[in-house]
Amino acid sequence: MQFTESWLKSLVNTPLNTQELGDKLTMAGLEVEELEPLAPEFSGVVVGLVVKKDKHPDADRLSVCQVQVGEGDVRQIVCGAPNVAEGLKVPCALPGAELPGGFKIKPTKMRGVESGGMLCSGKELGVPSDVDGLHILNTDFPVGGNVRELLGLNEMKFTLKMTPNRADCLSVWGVAREVAALTGATLNAPSFAPVAATIGDTLKVNVENTDLCGRFAGRVIRGVNNNAKTPQWMVDRLEGAGQRSLNALVDISNYVMLELGRPSHVFDLDKVQGDLTVRWAREGEKLKLLNDMEVALKPHMGVICDANGPEALAGIMGGDHTAVNEGTTNIFVEAAFWHPDAIVGRAREFNFSSDASHRFERGVDFQTIPEHIERITALILEICGGQAGPVLDQVLSLPARKPVKLRHARAEMVIGMPFTVEQVKGVFSKLGFQFSAEGQGTDTCYVVNPPSYRFDINIEEDLIEEVIRVVGYDSLPLRAPRGKLKMLPAAEGKIGRHAIRRQVAALGYQEVVSYSFTPEQWEADFNANTNPVRLLNPIASHLSVMRSTLIGSLTGVLKHNLGHRVDRLRVFEVARVFEKDDKVQDGAQTVAGFKQTWKVGGLAYGLADQLQWAAGNNRALDFFDVKGDVEQLLHGRKVDFEAFDAANPLPALHPGRSARVLVNKQPIGFIGELHPKLAQEYDLPQAPIVFELLLDGLNTRKLPAFKDVSKQPVVVRDLAFVVEQSIAAAQLKKAFTEVKDDNLAWLKSVILFDEFVPKEEGKGLNLNEKSLAFRLTLQASDRSLTDADIEPLLKKMIDQAGQRCAARLR
């Protein structure tokens, strides 16, 4: 929300200076984000009168001008602007002047011709201008006058960062009300005097859906001149609020919206066919908007229609077909109350937002519509002329504003300081609230009827906030917090999320934090989720669902970094994922619910290590590098990696380079290389390695326990098995290490140290077979093991490997 200080002070007589006013608004909850002059700083620029213009002798696009910059002071200035002409008054920067950006003006030669200054465009001065070339000044400005002062560019511009609940302050009048309440200053309300109807013309409006439109008012005005020049005072205020002057009728509509917070729309009456109808859109209808965008309408969007179909997107933007232009002479002015629930989020579905939708979806005053129509009409007749018809006002379905109760004792307890009853009553009076009070002292109960423009007053805490906001947060007493600190018990075997983050970071990964909202396509690609949790009001159209996996977000981070030439990346994220979860209530009815699960996801890409000189060390990382990282995270737990069932793979992962991760035989996640088709689809030069684990699988650990170190020697045995190539090494290892034998505790480690796949028949292997060699380390704690001890155990292992995996010793 932007406005100039003079505009605000024309509506409220406050003695505060600029800085005091900004501080007062900020401390009351209307944060002043920027406080700056209308134009950036510049100096030495005066009004110059072009008294003569000659063609440059050595350049077709340059002119040699004689410019008067004071009494008897004429300077020769070379200018390249296309609109320079004799008799114009333009900004002239004299030698020594400093323009925005620190650009200093000095006498110079341009293609051999002396130039003693510079004629300036609006862009060069940082002021808005509607012409291509020099900024044309008012003919009334005195020659040699200070341009900055004459254009009022020293005036301060306020930019407020509004919270969504304060829609009543999305207007200069709303801010003026706040200033009056905070300072006790007098308000100067704009004139709402009724404009007498001089013609009887009306336009019938049928409101079919009262859940869309609660009130609709409008009037016909004939004989307007849209070529009339918008008054300079209005243009200045619009530009100070960040609006560009377009034409008189549009400027008036925009001005009243900024002044009173009332979006309205002006139809070219001659282009409207028949009556107007307000209703919900129908499937298949389309509308070309004022921003030249053609949109396909949906049944949950409101429209204003004539006999030919939709002509405006209700509460958002008008249509191009009935827009006013230079030839418009007859108009229909409408102002309506659109229910916020009927407007919220609709504009964002088309990837834009309008000033109207920004206000209507937060709530606009529904009681002052006739007065605002009169204000718009008066300005139109004053600037554009014409004759006005009667105002037709349909009151259909207005919000029920229920009284809100405030207990005096409750307010004191929540705020933390005492108040008198007169203080609280004074706050409500200053804010213009209608209220009554019952009881005495701290037992007083106030019953407040919220005004029609305050949609944020609904519960007791809202009134408590108003009390301290108006009294002033700086009046709160300074007290040190008091509380007893005690250590809370924490299980040693439980690991917090921050500790897990540190563990992953210690492995060389960098933490990222990304939105839980994600594109729907990511859910389908990375988790085969065709029914994700959808958002009713997404912050952006492409972030429309809640993520059920972290892999999509991590891949998005990888894409961003590759675009910035980061070719080696290891990132992780610890966050919630969201999935649908059907729950049973009362043992009978099944309802759709949601569950949130904490997960840790990681992605690794590029070289296995930093680029270095040693030959053979600059290799790309692979599945086993990241598998080692996962094993480090799960150190101290019984971890297994199991290939996915061929009938039920994870579609996002390479089918031959991925595995489920199990802890104590319970699946907690997965690890694998991204599927080649996804790497190609997302333009990745190579597929990254990703993993995702349930946090519940990481946040508990087995506490270390004392155990004697055996003094007995270890025994090493190597076993090589021949199996079919479809048998995984982990499957074979699991088979022979799960034998039932009392001496299995002797087995301390099993390591796969060789894999041989034949390329031709021979060496005891068929082409469909492979050899897997394992090194077994055995040790007892009470004696040295002999062959007689070991052989029965090894025989059981070999037999079980043969039974489960059809393995034979090589």
Side-chain angles (χ1 to χ4, degrees):
M1 177 66 195
Q2 291 182 1
F3 54 87
T4 57
E5 184 177 11
S6 63
W7 192 358
L8 177 64
K9 289 190 173 181
S10 71
L11 297 175
V12 59
N13 296 322
T14 173
L16 299 180
N17 62 36
T18 304
Q19 192 59 52
E20 291 171 341
L21 185 57
D23 293 343
K24 181 68 74 172
L25 288 172
T26 298
M27 289 304 297
L30 308 182
E31 181 185 351
V32 178
E33 190 174 24
E34 289 183 355
L35 189 57
E36 57 187 0
L38 285 177
E41 289 295 330
F42 62 84
S43 61
V45 181
V46 301
V47 177
L49 173 64
V50 181
V51 296
K52 187 178 179 182
K53 169 192 169 185
D54 295 313
K55 185 178 178 182
H56 192 288
D58 195 28
D60 292 337
R61 295 187 179 183
L62 296 179
S63 302
V64 180
C65 303
Q66 303 300 320
V67 183
Q68 183 181 351
V69 295
E71 187 68 31
D73 188 358
V74 178
R75 307 286 181 96
Q76 179 174 285
I77 298 176
V78 178
C79 178
N83 65 335
V84 64
E86 293 180 5
L88 287 182
K89 287 186 176 180
V90 294
C92 179
L94 300 176
E98 185 169 347
L99 300 184
F103 182 63
K104 295 183 178 181
I105 304 300
K106 300 177 181 178
T108 185
K109 277 188 178 182
M110 297 186 68
R111 304 292 291 269
V113 177
E114 296 285 347
S115 181
M118 174 180 170
L119 303 184
C120 303
S121 66
K123 183 178 181 181
E124 288 163 337
L125 297 180
V127 299
S129 180
D130 56 359
V131 297
D132 181 20
L134 299 179
H135 185 67
I136 310 301
L137 297 176
N138 194 311
T139 56
D140 296 334
F141 286 178
V143 174
N146 187 306
V147 167
R148 189 172 186 87
E149 293 177 359
L150 292 169
L151 291 178
L153 300 180
N154 289 320
E155 183 178 3
M156 301 303 290
K157 177 179 67 176
F158 286 75
T159 301
L160 302 188
K161 187 177 182 180
M162 302 300 303
T163 52
N165 63 315
R166 293 308 304 272
D168 61 298
C169 289
L170 289 172
S171 65
V172 184
W173 175 241
V175 177
R177 269 194 312 245
E178 282 293 298
V179 173
L182 296 170
T183 65
T186 305
L187 285 169
N188 303 319
S191 173
F192 300 125
V195 175
T198 56
I199 59 175
D201 294 15
T202 60
L203 179 63
K204 185 178 180 182
V205 179
N206 304 304
V207 180
E208 292 184 357
N209 301 103
T210 57
D211 56 340
L212 166 65
C213 178
R215 187 172 187 175
F216 195 100
R219 81 187 319 164
V220 171
I221 305 178
R222 292 191 178 275
V224 300
N225 175 19
N226 198 28
N227 290 311
K229 184 176 177 59
T230 304
Q232 190 60 43
W233 62 267
M234 183 178 288
V235 172
D236 291 342
R237 287 182 175 181
L238 288 173
E239 290 177 347
Q243 295 276 354
R244 187 165 56 94
S245 176
L246 298 173
N247 58 60
L249 291 173
V250 174
D251 289 349
I252 292 168
S253 177
N254 287 338
Y255 177 79
V256 173
M257 178 187 67
L258 294 169
E259 180 185 47
L260 304 175
R262 167 72 57 203
S264 60
H265 186 60
V266 182
F267 291 88
D268 189 323
L269 186 61
D270 296 329
K271 298 176 184 177
V272 176
Q273 302 298 313
D275 300 337
L276 291 181
T277 301
V278 178
R279 60 170 172 81
W280 294 110
R282 293 166 186 157
E283 200 69 51
E285 289 184 322
K286 294 184 178 181
L287 174 63
K288 186 177 181 181
L289 300 173
L290 288 173
N291 61 2
D292 292 329
M293 178 186 292
E294 186 171 0
V295 296
L297 303 175
K298 300 176 183 178
H300 64 279
M301 298 174 178
V303 289
I304 303 175
C305 306
D306 65 1
N308 292 332
E311 297 293 353
L313 195 54
I316 298 175
M317 187 174 289
D320 178 71
H321 178 255
T322 54
V324 297
N325 55 33
E326 294 83 357
T328 298
T329 56
N330 303 311
I331 60 173
F332 176 73
V333 181
E334 67 87 5
F337 172 72
W338 307 101
H339 289 285
D341 290 343
I343 306 299
V344 65
R346 271 60 167 187
R348 284 191 291 278
E349 292 188 37
F350 300 124
N351 292 323
F352 75 89
S353 179
S354 67
D355 289 323
S357 66
H358 185 74
R359 287 163 172 79
F360 279 125
E361 65 187 7
R362 288 162 171 76
V364 174
D365 189 358
F366 51 81
Q367 293 290 7
T368 55
I369 291 177
E371 290 87 344
H372 293 177
I373 284 279
E374 299 292 356
R375 173 65 169 164
I376 297 170
T377 304
L379 290 171
I380 291 175
L381 297 185
E382 177 187 339
I383 297 169
C384 303
Q387 294 179 299
V391 176
L392 297 184
D393 182 20
Q394 301 181 61
V395 180
L396 305 159
S397 173
L398 300 181
R401 304 310 311 275
K402 297 179 180 178
V404 181
K405 292 184 178 181
L406 171 64
R407 296 163 290 174
H408 191 102
R410 170 72 174 168
E412 289 187 348
M413 183 190 74
V414 172
I415 295 172
M417 63 180 285
F419 296 94
T420 65
V421 173
E422 288 69 25
Q423 274 183 298
V424 178
K425 289 181 178 180
V427 168
F428 294 152
S429 297
K430 291 176 182 177
L431 292 170
F433 293 178
Q434 294 181 355
F435 67 96
S436 61
E438 299 176 355
Q440 298 289 329
T442 57
D443 294 328
T444 303
C445 180
Y446 311 90
V447 180
V448 177
N449 294 309
S452 55
Y453 52 83
R454 290 297 299 270
F455 284 77
D456 60 318
I457 305 297
N458 297 298
I459 59 176
E460 186 175 29
E461 281 71 16
D462 295 331
L463 293 177
I464 294 174
E465 179 186 9
E466 293 301 296
V467 171
I468 185 57
R469 196 173 62 82
V470 175
V471 171
Y473 292 109
D474 52 358
S475 63
L476 287 169
L478 297 177
R479 290 196 296 264
R482 290 182 296 176
K484 294 182 179 179
L485 300 177
K486 74 174 184 177
M487 297 292 290
L488 298 176
E492 284 188 78
K494 193 76 171 178
I495 307 174
R497 286 195 295 272
H498 292 297
I500 292 173
R501 288 187 174 100
R502 287 193 292 270
Q503 287 179 3
V504 186
L507 295 172
Y509 290 76
Q510 290 183 301
E511 185 175 13
V512 298
V513 179
S514 52
Y515 280 122
S516 295
F517 319 129
T518 188
E520 187 171 353
Q521 187 62 44
W522 286 10
E523 281 297 292
D525 288 345
F526 295 103
N527 205 27
N529 185 6
T530 58
N531 188 25
V533 178
R534 300 183 185 279
L535 294 167
L536 296 177
N537 184 25
I539 62 172
S541 59
H542 67 288
L543 302 178
S544 57
V545 301
M546 303 296 289
R547 63 184 176 186
S548 61
T549 178
L550 302 176
I551 303 306
S553 301
L554 294 172
T555 305
V557 172
L558 172 61
K559 280 278 293 178
H560 177 80
N561 278 271
L562 289 175
H564 289 74
R565 304 193 66 179
V566 177
D567 53 9
R568 183 180 185 273
L569 189 72
R570 291 192 176 208
V571 291
F572 78 97
E573 183 169 10
V574 177
R576 289 187 178 97
V577 297
F578 304 82
E579 300 170 282
K580 291 189 175 180
D581 181 29
D582 290 338
K583 298 180 180 178
V584 179
Q585 291 184 342
D586 299 330
Q589 183 183 8
T590 302
V591 296
F594 307 98
K595 64 179 180 180
Q596 305 177 35
T597 309
W598 279 96
K599 289 188 177 182
V600 54
L603 178 146
Y605 179 89
L607 297 179
D609 205 343
Q610 296 286 353
L611 190 66
Q612 54 180 294
W613 61 270
N617 285 344
N618 297 323
R619 64 174 181 85
L621 65 81
D622 58 24
F623 172 89
F624 297 100
D625 292 308
V626 181
K627 177 175 177 282
D629 293 336
V630 173
E631 288 175 330
Q632 281 283 85
L633 289 177
L634 297 170
H635 178 70
R637 304 166 180 85
K638 181 174 175 51
V639 185
D640 292 304
F641 296 86
E642 182 179 276
F644 283 98
D645 186 351
N648 189 28
L650 194 62
L653 301 182
H654 190 298
R657 300 173 186 173
S658 57
R660 292 194 305 159
V661 182
L662 297 90
V663 172
N664 297 325
K665 300 184 179 180
Q666 297 298 316
I668 68 162
F670 61 81
I671 178 177
E673 183 180 302
L674 198 67
H675 199 287
K677 69 177 183 180
L678 289 179
Q680 183 178 10
E681 181 179 338
Y682 287 87
D683 296 325
L684 304 176
Q686 66 187 63
I689 312 298
V690 297
F691 67 87
E692 186 173 270
L693 307 172
L694 288 171
L695 209 64
D696 285 346
L698 289 166
N699 61 6
T700 55
R701 62 184 173 186
K702 187 177 180 181
L703 294 178
F706 170 78
K707 189 176 182 181
D708 284 331
V709 177
S710 176
K711 298 178 181 179
Q712 305 302 324
V714 298
V715 178
V716 177
R717 292 287 186 271
D718 291 343
L719 297 178
F721 294 94
V722 176
V723 295
E724 291 187 359
Q725 291 189 19
S726 60
I727 301 296
Q731 187 178 350
L732 178 59
K733 176 182 174 181
K734 182 179 180 182
F736 68 74
T737 57
E738 290 184 348
V739 297
K740 294 181 179 179
D741 191 289
D742 293 340
N743 296 323
L744 188 61
W746 292 344
L747 186 63
K748 301 303 179 183
S749 69
V750 179
I751 299 173
L752 175 70
F753 70 88
D754 183 59
E755 179 184 29
F756 175 71
V757 179
K759 296 182 180 179
E760 57 184 18
E761 294 283 352
K763 298 185 179 181
L765 297 177
N766 298 323
L767 286 177
N768 66 334
E769 294 179 327
K770 63 181 176 181
S771 170
L772 298 174
F774 295 88
R775 176 156 293 174
L776 282 60
T777 302
L778 302 99
Q779 184 183 40
S781 60
D782 57 344
R783 59 193 173 89
S784 296
L785 297 177
T786 64
D787 288 345
D789 298 321
I790 297 171
E791 289 304 326
L793 176 60
L794 294 181
K795 185 177 184 308
K796 287 184 180 181
M797 290 181 175
I798 295 168
D799 291 344
Q800 186 153 297
Q803 293 170 10
R804 292 192 185 181
C805 300
R808 68 178 189 274
L809 280 181
R810 186 179 176 188

